[in-house]
Amino acid sequence: EGGLEATKRAALADDREAREAVIDDLRLRSRQEYLTKREQQRLDLLKLEIEDEKILFRDQKMTKREIEAYERKKELIRIMEARQRIDDGTDGYMLPDDYITEQGKLDRKKRQNALYQRYEESKPVEGQFVTDVDQWEESQRYKTDLRTGAMDREVVEEAYDYVFDESQGIQFLQEGRLDGTLTAEAQAMLDQIAAAEKKAMSIQETRQSLPIYEFRDELLEAIAEHQVLVVVAETGSGKTTQLPQYLHEAGYTKGGMRVGCTQPRRVAAMSVAARVADEMGSRLGQEVGYSIRFEDMTSDKTVLKYMTDGMLLREFLTDPELSTYSALIIDEAHERTLSTDVLFGLVKDIARFRPELRLLISSATLNAQKFAAFFDDAPIFDVPGRRFPVDMFYTQQPEANYIHAAVTTILQIHTTQPKGDILLFLTGQDEIEATEENLKETMYALGDKVPELIIAPIYANLPSEMQAKIFEPTPEGARKVVLATNIAETSITIDGVVYVIDPGFVKQNNYNPKTGMSSLVVEPISRASAQQRAGRAGRVGPGKAFRLYTKWAFKNELLQDTIPEIQRTNLANVVLMLKSLGINDVLNFDFLDKPPAETIIRSFELLYALGALNHKGELTRLGRRMAEFPVDPMLSKAIINSENYKCTHEVLTIISMLQESGSLLYRPKDKRVHADKAHKNFIKPGGDHFTLLNIFEQWADANYSQQWCYENFMQYKSLVRVRDIRDQLAGLCERVEVIIESLPNEIIPVQKAITAGYFYNTVSAHYTFSTSVPLSIYKSHISGALDDKGEGSELTLQARIDKGGGYRTTKNNHSVYVHPSSCLIGMQPPPRFILYYELVLTSKEYMRQCMPIEGTWLSELAPHYFNKSE
Ligand code: ADP
Ligand code: MG
């Protein structure tokens, strides 16, 4: 193709104008390809759907409304196909002029636009034919709306008086130069660094080159002298990898004692342990090991143990004095995860009666005074960091789609900027995969004439052998782009990063104590976070940070600091844990920052409703058993309750599958239709939970084979993890004396067992459920006022569902929707009551992993909660 050849040729030319033309072309091309691909996916999906519906239509099994929808779909397919023919030039509309004259091109564009418009107008109404892609798109748009919507209109117009031209690249604003030149000083620095890099360093040399090394002896002295020490040093100084080794070298691991180091993230614990094992010349799992939920990579030999903060918290249950540790490092304290915050209170307590125990609180930011004050004015050891200047760039206007903007920026950097790797912050695996695919396609289209771009993703579920890729040194002449979640903000340091791209978002679990609901939400980051991200560009030399938002947004729309997790999450887990540790007065526990009292009260309510606490707030036998399981109390209740229904075998599988349900299905872009078709085969009556059960059992029947996963479009790694999780949970069942029995092919007992734990997450199709009325109404509503099944009349229900498929939570009458991926979509008649696993907020609040239940079960299985009047 001529255009592409030209692109390649231009890429070879080394004058700047030509290179810029390449970028422009690329940008258009990638956008167009992206749009076409999306269209194709949508079309494929529609076709697939209509195939099933044809039969319903033929057999006259459709309501009038459904027939209308069906007709619309057909029309939509027709229009989309017609448009594709226009795009392909196979519709007979193409005139020779279209290729040759400017006017002809314009005319063609006009015809296309008219068609596009017809297509836009015929777009389905909201809530119909939603695919994941649509959802994702919509959520992106939603986020931008949020951001621009928050702006004061006048200010926007005043500050951003320009016309945005789609064909232009992203215009970044000032505070540095983007033209690829550097000041003489910066250039000199870069040269110096390049020279230093050339001589390959041995592991020892690398260790000694870290900023913390100079302070090794001083640090050890301070540790010997003070029981608690707060260590502050810039990210990448060597806190995580070196401090435990220093302690080991200084003899803290003699006599079978261990040094423990906590990490807020699973990936960090694994990758850092691997690195340190390397540095110490030992195999991972021997002297150096890690422990994360459902995976223990330690042995009797292990003296340096990296673990997630949640795992250390669980160790308190078996060994309340943590007597095997001589020293504990609470690392990344600034992240303020829920578990770290709880650990603070607990380790402070054990330090009192274990005077020989050493505590290090290590943090990347200067907010260390707060930690020091909390630990009775512990001394702060400040390791001065090295930092190079970072030029800041902002976009001129809010970007509508930050993935697209990020890809464009990567190409802009790749083609115009001197050597140096790129780090892009995204919010999760889905985004990382979408971006990776997008980048790969664009690079592929460019051919091998542009320098190589190595794409290295990193997120929590990435298999560990692939995680290593981000640390591999970039070969000469190539450039690496790391697509990372927030994990690269402080937990992991990637050497060689010179350019940082920050879209300004993070995925967080947010909990609303008023409604008692939590959901995963993509939110703007804080200014502190943004500064930390930008700082990642200045570690090896002078760097550049590209913020995909405006300076105005930075100043006016971001919070100063991130809100600690303890103040924005459900605490039922923590309360159950503290209770089982014998800490009865949870409200007055020694918290660094107190959680809202309302949240604690909600947790008590939930634990009481689950039967884990009695009416005096004391731990029950059930609660004690529940605390043994490293899962949410609602899940552990379901597991234990399943013994009453003799279906623990099935419930264990379902619960293990739920843990990984986000990453089970393999849906490659080019085979999406096949994959979706294959996945449809697994649907079972009884809801998504049974589909999950079916997947696992079929895989087990196939001897857990990898080939089976390949044929059925499943992620092998995820299923293997499910099996591991299941084995562990089964082991714990034994410990708390739950006998694992099986009821194959039965639905209701399994549904009931799960409902006994998950009654909080239920919704009904009725309007009248509301906590604003006396709680006694629940019971009369469920088992009295309506029919004997506790259901509303067919008419009201149908009218309600027709209004857009919305349901109301039984807890607080909040509107939620069945996720389009659920097998409950389109179920006839629609279920009146649904139990869900989790809520995700994209364009709406969606319930993921849904199961139809009977309304009467609620008062039967959760009498504490639904029969409060008694
Ligand atoms: P800090 O905890 O102060 O942020 P770290 O101890 O994590 O610093 O990092 C020190 C150095 O070790 C960094 O240069 C980092 O690149 C390197 N490093 C850490 N983990 C790995 C790994 N898995 N592979 C290669 N290098 C690593
Ligand atoms: Mg660290």
Side-chain angles (χ1 to χ4, degrees):
E1 190 214 324
L4 204 58
E5 265 319 299
T7 310
K8 285 188 190 167
R9 250 181 285 120
L12 281 176
D14 52 8
D15 75 294
R16 264 196 48 221
E17 240 166 72
R19 255 187 290 147
E20 270 159 19
V22 175
I23 305 171
D24 280 349
D25 186 62
L26 252 178
R27 195 169 299 125
L28 268 178
R29 193 177 295 278
S30 74
R31 184 170 176 75
Q32 245 146 30
E33 273 177 22
Y34 172 67
L35 289 175
T36 328
K37 283 250 162 65
R38 231 186 65 218
E39 286 289 319
Q40 187 61 46
Q41 278 168 11
R42 194 173 277 159
L43 183 58
D44 289 343
L45 251 145
L46 280 176
K47 282 184 173 169
L48 200 73
E49 281 174 21
I50 212 159
E51 221 151 87
D52 296 342
E53 289 172 10
K54 259 182 205 155
I55 302 164
L56 291 175
F57 180 73
R58 193 195 59 203
D59 299 347
Q60 302 185 349
K61 279 189 183 154
M62 278 183 165
T63 63
K64 197 167 156 256
R65 220 186 118 77
E66 283 166 341
I67 293 175
E68 271 171 31
Y70 171 73
E71 296 290 352
R72 285 178 68 112
K73 269 190 212 177
K74 276 187 16 191
E75 169 72 3
L76 196 59
I77 292 178
R78 210 182 56 70
I79 293 175
M80 283 168 83
E81 285 182 339
R83 203 179 85 199
Q84 278 191 347
R85 282 197 298 276
I86 287 199
D87 285 347
D88 297 346
T90 52
D91 68 339
Y93 275 90
M94 288 289 266
L95 304 170
D97 275 358
D98 292 349
Y99 292 109
I100 304 158
T101 67
E102 287 306 312
Q103 187 57 43
K105 283 180 192 161
L106 270 177
D107 287 348
R108 177 152 184 260
K109 194 92 210 147
K110 261 190 213 151
R111 287 204 305 275
Q112 278 183 358
N113 282 343
L115 216 84
Y116 272 69
Q117 200 170 344
R118 257 171 67 204
Y119 162 73
E120 287 297 326
E121 282 161 6
S122 64
K123 251 200 191 142
V125 289
E126 206 192 338
Q128 276 184 297
F129 344 119
V130 208
T131 65
D132 274 5
V133 184
D134 296 334
Q135 276 231 328
W136 181 77
E137 280 275 306
E138 201 175 323
S139 68
Q140 302 296 316
R141 211 165 38 232
Y142 175 74
K143 284 173 227 161
T144 329
D145 287 351
L146 267 187
R147 183 183 274 164
T148 44
M151 284 191 182
D152 182 6
R153 252 198 95 67
E154 258 173 53
V155 179
V156 177
E157 275 163 15
E158 190 191 313
Y160 308 101
D161 186 18
Y162 69 94
V163 183
F164 183 54
D165 177 358
E166 277 276 356
S167 69
Q168 294 296 302
I170 295 174
Q171 312 274 320
F172 285 101
L173 272 181
Q174 89 261 286
E175 299 216 343
R177 282 171 307 272
L178 185 55
D179 59 4
T181 60
L182 288 166
T183 57
E185 187 194 1
Q187 189 58 52
M189 240 191 262
L190 264 188
D191 292 345
Q192 214 180 325
I193 293 155
E197 269 177 9
K198 277 220 178 85
K199 64 176 175 68
M201 283 196 279
S202 70
I203 280 187
Q204 279 321 309
E205 282 167 334
T206 314
R207 284 190 67 190
Q208 290 169 9
S209 73
L210 291 171
I212 205 168
Y213 179 73
E214 280 176 51
F215 300 91
R216 180 182 181 278
D217 298 339
E218 255 178 84
L219 265 166
L220 284 170
E221 272 167 36
I223 293 167
E225 199 172 318
H226 305 280
Q227 186 179 21
V228 185
L229 190 66
V230 179
V231 180
V232 180
E234 197 114 10
T235 309
S237 305
K239 298 183 298 293
T240 311
T241 52
Q242 305 308 307
L243 284 174
Q245 292 190 74
Y246 294 169
L247 289 169
H248 172 58
E249 290 155 8
Y252 283 88
T253 52
K254 288 219 174 88
M257 295 302 272
R258 287 176 160 180
V259 170
C261 177
T262 66
Q263 294 292 311
R265 296 155 202 278
R266 214 161 81 183
V267 183
M270 290 159 71
S271 106
V272 161
R275 167 70 183 181
V276 173
D278 236 20
E279 289 185 8
M280 287 180 47
S282 76
R283 261 205 8 244
L284 186 59
Q286 299 289 306
E287 278 80 9
V288 186
Y290 67 84
S291 165
I292 59 180
R293 197 166 73 133
F294 301 125
E295 194 178 336
D296 186 12
M297 193 54 159
T298 63
S299 62
D300 294 344
K301 278 197 188 157
T302 305
V303 289
L304 298 190
K305 181 168 169 183
Y306 288 90
M307 63 197 123
T308 50
D309 43 12
M311 286 310 288
L312 184 61
L313 209 49
R314 296 208 72 83
E315 285 196 20
F316 276 93
L317 284 176
T318 44
D319 179 7
E321 290 185 24
L322 301 184
S323 52
T324 60
Y325 294 95
S326 60
L328 287 169
I329 302 165
I330 310 295
D331 200 7
E332 311 285 338
H334 60 272
E335 289 238 4
R336 301 290 308 276
T337 59
L338 175 59
S339 296
T340 291
D341 264 20
V342 177
L343 277 176
F344 285 147
L346 293 174
V347 294
K348 181 176 171 184
D349 190 45
I350 56 169
R352 287 201 192 107
F353 47 89
R354 283 196 54 200
E356 78 295 351
L357 177 74
R358 300 289 107 169
L359 275 184
L360 297 181
I361 312 298
S362 92
S363 164
T365 49
L366 291 164
N367 274 343
Q369 272 77 14
K370 190 162 184 171
F371 303 127
F374 178 78
F375 286 98
D376 305 325
D377 295 317
I380 299 176
F381 197 111
D382 199 344
V383 178
R386 290 178 211 137
R387 218 186 205 188
F388 297 92
V390 175
D391 287 343
M392 304 299 303
F393 298 90
Y394 295 89
T395 55
Q396 282 190 344
Q397 83 292 330
E399 285 296 324
N401 178 336
Y402 63 71
I403 303 283
H404 177 64
V407 169
T408 310
T409 309
I410 290 171
L411 292 167
Q412 238 164 315
I413 294 171
H414 191 43
T415 45
T416 63
Q417 299 288 302
K419 107 178 212 176
D421 295 336
I422 305 172
L423 171 61
L424 166 63
F425 287 98
L426 293 166
T427 69
Q429 182 177 353
D430 46 349
E431 275 185 13
I432 290 180
E433 284 172 354
T435 310
E436 185 176 3
E437 220 149 325
N438 195 329
L439 261 178
K440 274 187 182 154
E441 277 164 20
T442 317
M443 288 309 290
Y444 183 76
L446 266 180
D448 54 2
K449 304 277 165 60
V450 284
E452 189 187 355
L453 190 65
I454 298 165
I455 305 170
I458 178 96
Y459 48 82
N461 274 331
L462 190 73
S464 35
E465 65 271 16
M466 283 167 76
Q467 287 169 17
K469 192 173 166 188
I470 68 163
F471 293 108
E472 279 165 20
T474 311
E476 197 55 46
R479 193 194 296 270
K480 178 162 70 186
V481 51
V482 179
L483 313 178
T485 57
N486 214 27
I487 186 169
E489 194 176 295
T490 59
S491 309
I492 281 186
T493 296
I494 302 137
D495 294 324
V497 169
V498 173
Y499 308 97
V500 162
I501 304 173
D502 174 19
F505 287 101
V506 67
K507 197 185 276 168
Q508 274 184 351
N509 199 345
N510 273 6
Y511 177 71
N512 179 348
K514 293 226 162 40
T515 62
M517 303 208 303
S518 30
S519 50
L520 275 178
V521 192
V522 172
E523 300 231 309
I525 56 172
S526 64
R527 280 199 289 277
S529 232
Q531 300 299 45
Q532 185 68 40
R533 288 179 176 189
R536 314 309 286 130
R539 223 179 75 81
V540 291
K544 290 180 181 174
F546 299 87
R547 291 185 167 154
L548 301 182
Y549 40 94
T550 62
K551 194 162 184 188
W552 192 93
F554 175 76
K555 289 203 165 138
N556 298 285
E557 292 179 26
L558 303 187
L559 291 176
Q560 175 53 37
D561 286 302
T562 309
I563 298 167
E565 191 178 8
I566 198 160
Q567 295 184 332
R568 53 173 167 80
T569 191
N570 175 353
L571 296 175
N573 227 332
V574 164
V575 171
L576 182 61
M577 166 86 63
L578 292 177
K579 281 275 173 190
S580 22
L581 287 173
I583 295 159
N584 282 318
D585 190 1
V586 176
L587 272 168
N588 289 311
F589 179 71
D590 197 358
F591 289 113
L592 184 56
D593 281 310
K594 278 214 180 306
E598 205 173 355
T599 308
I600 296 198
I601 291 162
R602 288 279 169 189
S603 312
F604 272 108
E605 266 173 30
L606 171 64
L607 291 170
Y608 171 71
L610 286 168
L613 299 179
N614 65 17
H615 65 283
K616 286 190 244 161
E618 296 160 345
L619 198 64
T620 60
R621 186 177 112 83
L622 174 64
R624 196 166 311 263
R625 292 170 91 198
M626 280 165 61
E628 289 285 332
F629 292 86
V631 294
D632 192 276
M634 305 212 287
L635 288 172
S636 53
K637 167 73 185 277
I639 295 175
I640 294 175
N641 193 263
S642 65
E643 69 184 343
N644 298 334
Y645 297 95
K646 304 188 184 307
C647 59
T648 308
H649 179 90
E650 285 74 21
V651 169
L652 275 182
T653 305
I654 290 173
I655 282 168
S656 312
M657 287 290 275
L658 286 172
Q659 310 285 312
E660 294 287 305
S661 53
S663 58
L664 278 174
L665 306 182
Y666 176 56
R667 298 178 75 225
K669 243 188 185 171
D670 50 336
K671 295 201 193 89
R672 197 144 286 179
V673 178
H674 288 102
D676 290 345
K677 223 171 188 165
H679 296 151
K680 270 195 177 171
N681 289 333
F682 288 96
I683 293 179
K684 276 271 180 183
D688 297 325
H689 296 69
F690 289 85
T691 306
L692 292 175
L693 175 63
N694 185 26
I695 292 173
F696 188 85
E697 293 198 328
Q698 290 207 30
W699 180 56
D701 284 346
N703 260 323
Y704 307 108
S705 104
Q706 193 159 6
Q707 178 66 20
W708 182 92
C709 292
Y710 182 75
E711 284 162 7
N712 292 285
F713 293 92
M714 296 292 165
Q715 302 272 15
Y716 177 66
K717 296 264 177 201
S718 301
L719 276 172
V720 170
R721 237 181 100 71
V722 170
R723 189 176 55 178
D724 290 346
I725 294 173
R726 199 187 177 288
D727 288 348
Q728 282 219 21
L729 292 177
L732 290 167
C733 277
E734 214 160 283
R735 205 152 105 191
V736 299
E737 291 165 359
V738 171
I739 298 162
I740 302 179
E741 293 174 278
S742 170
L743 275 185
N745 305 321
E746 291 220 33
I747 292 177
I748 289 176
V750 178
Q751 286 182 330
K752 279 189 153 183
I754 292 173
T755 308
Y758 261 71
F759 54 84
Y760 249 49
N761 287 5
T762 50
V763 298
S764 87
H766 305 294
Y767 266 125
T768 35
F769 259 88
S770 160
T771 40
S772 60
V773 296
L775 284 166
S776 58
I777 202 156
Y778 283 148
K779 202 194 165 198
S780 63
H781 183 77
I782 293 163
S783 49
L786 303 163
D787 65 18
D788 56 352
K789 273 182 160 171
E791 292 164 356
S793 72
E794 198 68 34
L795 238 131
T796 24
L797 177 65
Q798 201 58 49
R800 176 86 193 80
I801 307 268
D802 277 354
K803 280 194 82 165
Y807 280 82
R808 298 279 175 153
T809 57
T810 51
K811 230 180 333 184
N812 45 38
N813 211 17
H814 188 86
S815 271
V816 292
Y817 299 83
V818 176
H819 192 271
S821 67
S822 170
C823 69
L824 261 52
I825 288 280
M827 184 168 155
Q828 288 302 338
R832 289 163 182 76
F833 288 88
I834 294 178
L835 173 153
Y836 64 85
Y837 174 60
E838 61 185 357
L839 283 181
V840 279
L841 176 69
T842 52
S843 49
K844 289 185 202 155
E845 202 111 36
Y846 284 107
M847 303 180 276
R848 250 199 325 226
Q849 310 301 347
C850 302
M851 173 167 103
I853 56 163
E854 298 285 335
T856 45
W857 296 352
L858 295 177
S859 55
E860 176 193 332
L861 297 167
H864 286 41
Y865 185 61
F866 288 96
N867 290 0
K868 265 189 188 160
S869 59
E870 279 179 356

